[in-house]
Structures are given as C-alpha cells and as structure tokens.
Amino acid sequence: MFTSYLPTKIVFGVGAIEKLPNLVKNYGRKALIVTGKKSTKQTGLLDKVRGMLEAVGIETVVFDRVQPNPISDDVDEAARIAIEQNVDFVIGLGGGSAIDSAKAIAISAAMKDAFWNYTHAGAGKKPDRALPIVAIPTTHGTGTEADPFAVITNPRTKEKVGIGYDVIFPKLSIVDPALMASLPKDQTAYTSMDAFYHSLEAFLNIAANPYSDLLAVDSMKRIVSFLMRAYTNGQDIEARTNLAWASTEAGITETLTGVIANHAIEHGLSGFNEKLPHGLGLCITGPYLLEYMFEECKERLAALAKEVFNIQQYSVSKAARLFIEKLYEFQELFDLNQRLSKFGFKEEDLPEIATVAYRIMKGVVVKSPKKLEEKDLVEIMKKAL
Ligand SMILES: [Fe+2]
C-alpha cells in the first residue's frame, strides 16, 4: 500500500521563470524573498525576480542571510520580519538551503511561534498552516521543489533535523534549468549526487513502490548520463535540463517513499561539522552502507546494475557487487570518494554522531532493508574515516 499526494504545481523548463508574475499574481500583495548571501545577487536573478513581481504590483521584502546549512535562529529572525511586514507569501530563491528556510519561515510566520517547536527534536508541535510557498531552485539536487520536507540545524545542539508536513509542500515550483547554468563545478557534482542518493535510497527503502521506482531509476540514469557534461561545461543546457528533471523526480521519490540510513548518517555528520557538503557526505558513506547491508539489498542492487549502469550479468550477487563498484568509479570521476578524516572527524566523535543521527532520523533508519542500530551507524562511518 502506498499514498500519492503531490499537490505542488510544477512549471518545468528553460524560460519557466518568465511565467512567475502571472502565476503568483493572486497569491497576495507582498512577498518575502528568502535567498543566500551571494549567488542570486551576483547572477542578477534576485533583482530580476523583484522587478518582475513589482511590475505586477507585488511588493517584495528580502531576507538574504540564509547560510549553506540553514539554522533555526535565522528562520525565527526572518519569520519576525514576515510578521512585522505582513507578507502574504514566501519565495525560496536559490539552493536547497534557501527553499528549506522559506518553508520553515512559512510555518513560523503563520503559527507565530519559534520554529524549533515544530521539530520532533524540539516541542514536537504540528503546524496546521503555513504561508503559501513558492520554490525557485537554482541547483539540481535537493528535490525540495517537489517535497514537503525542510532540513534546519539548531546551532546550539548541532541537531540537523528534517521536518515533513503537508502544509509546506510548495504551492508553486518554478524549475528553470537556465537558472542553474552558473552553478560551480563542485556544487554541480554535490547537488546531483544528493538527487542520486534520494533515488537510490528510495529504491532500497522497504516501502518502495512502483511509482517511486519508476522515477528513481529514471533519475539515476539521467544523472549517470549527464553529470559529466554539466560538470565539464556548466552552460550545457541540455545536461542541466536532464539534471534538473532528475532532481525533481528524486524529490517526488522522497515524497512517495523516502530516504534511508545514508541520509540519517549524513545529517549526523554535517550537523557535527557544517563544512561537510551534504551531497559529498552522502557519497563518502553511501558505498559502505551498501556493503554493510549487501545481503538484504543485493536483489535490488542487481536490478539497478542493469538499469542504471547497463551491466548484463546473470548472477545477482555479482551484478550487485558491480553496481557498488560502478558507483564508486562514477563518484571518483568527480573526486567524491573522500575520507571523513579529511574533514576532521575522529573515531571518538562517531558514537556521539551516531546517537544524534539515530535520535533525529530514526524514522528513516528503520526504512533501511537491514535492521540498523546506533552501533551499526558507527561501524559504517568507521569504514569511511
Ligand atoms: Fe538529500
């Protein structure tokens, strides 16, 4: 049994941004634009969006202090501005951090309450409303444009928590691959592999279903086929379009099925050390997780070996092994097989990281095909040290 609830209007394609004013003109008179410190200013996108909205009579307020791993203090500060300024809707413009922040701000501003109260690591309250959210991604990986999730870190407890509520599905997502052409090489690889792992983890999830399998396989294939092109030439719009669609598809797989332990481990790691980029962290531990639960997922890996890497092999175990090898080789092309020790992680840190990861993300750990406890997460991270 599975449920499909995908209420977001997604407008996808090169030039989709031009449709923004028409699509939001009935959302209200005032918008809060949530964005990062630099890139949307450097590319001129922020000014362009403000101009387009103002031309149809929508006033804009900008919150431009979102950090790469967004923190709850900034969410509360932006929500205070949203309430003071009486904004009608929130636009997340940028990468996953800007859009996830917009989602969190939309809850906090509508509920008039501190954001952390709406996480299970905090007071565990459930929001019954949020301001309408518009997502305009400039990266192709998080899938946040197509899902009801946001990831926010509490800077005091180092808890990097994922929330998921139907009220924060974007009302509208504009996925325009042309806005992603200026994404630097390393970010291009990290964000694409984030999408890859959303799909891979959804495919291995014990709740996997034919709807999400279809999208998961297609998105992994697109990433394997087009990442090198976008990595080599950022302006390759055909490659960017395929990666953008792969990200959106992967976001839908997250909604229909969801991720497993690799994401829990990564949240533990990058909550502990925010310098570890999310997509890179997933690549560092991913192959070790697959090895660790090999017996439980070999049939699914063998199916992926054929679909994603075109491996023709009758032996299930061999095909599954080849999948892990190919994944490792693919990651190597983009320098993604790094070690945790390079980021300053030490063996003695791992039990604490595993405890936090397990506490804040137990819900996804238990969806893994092998029963994993805290000590198992430590073992997996140890191999990646
Ligand atoms: Fe992710």
Side-chain angles (χ1 to χ4, degrees):
M1 183 174 72
F2 67 97
T3 303
S4 161
Y5 179 63
L6 304 162
T8 301
K9 176 185 277 192
I10 297 172
V11 183
F12 184 95
V14 175
I17 190 70
E18 305 302 331
K19 302 208 175 293
L20 175 72
N22 246 334
L23 291 164
V24 300
K25 64 176 192 270
N26 298 324
Y27 288 11
R29 309 276 307 157
K30 205 171 192 180
L32 177 71
I33 302 178
V34 179
T35 193
K37 291 180 182 124
K38 276 194 285 192
S39 80
T40 60
K41 289 179 200 154
Q42 284 167 350
T43 58
L45 179 61
L46 177 59
D47 284 342
K48 179 182 163 104
V49 166
R50 295 189 78 179
M52 288 168 97
L53 294 174
E54 276 154 23
V56 291
I58 297 173
E59 217 183 308
T60 58
V61 181
V62 175
F63 182 81
D64 59 1
R65 296 199 292 280
V66 174
Q67 305 179 19
N69 274 314
I71 59 169
S72 49
D73 296 20
D74 288 341
V75 169
D76 288 339
E77 167 67 8
R80 194 183 54 72
I81 295 169
I83 294 166
E84 259 174 30
Q85 296 276 334
N86 220 358
V87 307
D88 299 300
F89 63 106
V90 186
I91 299 176
L93 180 69
S97 53
I99 298 168
D100 282 10
S101 295
K103 291 175 168 180
I105 293 162
I107 290 177
S108 199
M111 301 304 291
K112 297 193 168 52
D113 194 1
F115 169 72
W116 205 250
N117 286 333
Y118 297 90
T119 68
H120 54 271
K125 292 191 201 170
K126 304 264 179 283
D128 59 10
R129 60 191 180 278
L131 295 183
I133 297 153
V134 177
I136 308 176
T138 57
T139 67
H140 40 70
T142 70
T144 192
E145 67 274 17
D147 72 39
F149 306 118
V151 179
I152 304 289
T153 300
N154 181 328
R156 279 164 293 281
T157 60
K158 294 183 178 173
E159 289 164 314
K160 185 174 181 180
V161 170
I163 56 161
Y165 300 113
D166 283 354
V167 294
I168 54 168
F169 268 111
K171 191 175 167 75
L172 168 70
S173 288
I174 295 191
V175 186
D176 185 338
L179 305 182
M180 301 162 189
S182 59
L183 199 57
K185 258 180 147 70
D186 55 349
Q187 295 297 328
T188 295
Y190 299 157
T191 196
S192 299
M193 291 311 289
D194 184 16
F196 187 94
Y197 275 97
H198 294 153
S199 288
L200 174 57
E201 292 180 51
F203 194 82
L204 300 177
N205 189 312
I206 53 172
N209 58 71
Y211 193 173
S212 79
D213 285 356
L214 189 69
L215 298 169
V217 168
D218 189 68
S219 81
M220 284 186 268
K221 276 161 92 165
R222 285 178 199 271
I223 293 161
V224 167
S225 303
F226 289 96
L227 178 52
M228 186 48 90
R229 276 176 54 178
Y231 187 78
T232 313
N233 172 17
Q235 301 295 324
D236 183 334
I237 290 298
E238 189 192 0
R240 292 287 188 195
T241 301
N242 277 278
L243 295 172
W245 179 239
S247 165
T248 302
E249 282 181 301
I252 299 171
T253 71
E254 280 187 275
T255 307
L256 292 170
T257 305
V259 291
I260 56 171
N262 202 37
H263 263 73
I265 294 170
E266 200 295 315
H267 282 207
L269 290 167
S270 59
F272 191 85
N273 176 3
E274 61 179 27
K275 295 213 163 52
L276 177 66
H278 176 60
L280 176 58
L282 295 169
C283 291
I284 293 174
T285 55
Y288 296 106
L289 172 67
L290 301 183
E291 293 281 359
Y292 199 80
M293 48 186 204
F294 186 80
E295 281 307 313
E296 289 76 8
C297 66
K298 63 185 179 190
E299 256 114 40
R300 297 291 275 173
L301 291 181
L304 287 182
K306 187 162 174 250
E307 293 282 353
V308 178
F309 290 119
N310 204 17
I311 293 165
Q312 305 298 332
Q313 172 61 250
Y314 292 111
S315 153
V316 165
S317 289
K318 223 171 192 178
R321 285 257 168 257
L322 284 170
F323 176 83
I324 300 175
E325 267 173 43
K326 279 278 181 193
L327 173 59
Y328 197 81
E329 280 171 25
F330 182 65
Q331 292 185 172
E332 191 63 31
L333 299 174
F334 310 98
D335 194 24
L336 298 167
N337 295 325
Q338 298 187 24
R339 311 300 306 173
L340 291 177
S341 53
K342 189 183 158 191
F343 289 86
F345 291 99
K346 298 194 173 52
E347 191 165 342
E348 58 265 32
D349 302 331
L350 303 182
E352 185 195 334
I353 293 168
T355 302
V356 173
Y358 199 77
R359 187 175 71 240
I360 59 177
M361 300 280 282
K362 190 179 174 191
V364 304
V365 176
V366 299
K367 295 290 177 62
S368 307
K370 182 185 176 88
K371 189 172 183 300
L372 300 170
E373 293 173 355
E374 276 180 50
K375 62 174 174 36
D376 300 301
L377 305 189
V378 172
E379 286 308 309
I380 293 157
M381 287 188 281
K382 237 188 229 172
K383 291 188 164 62
L385 257 186

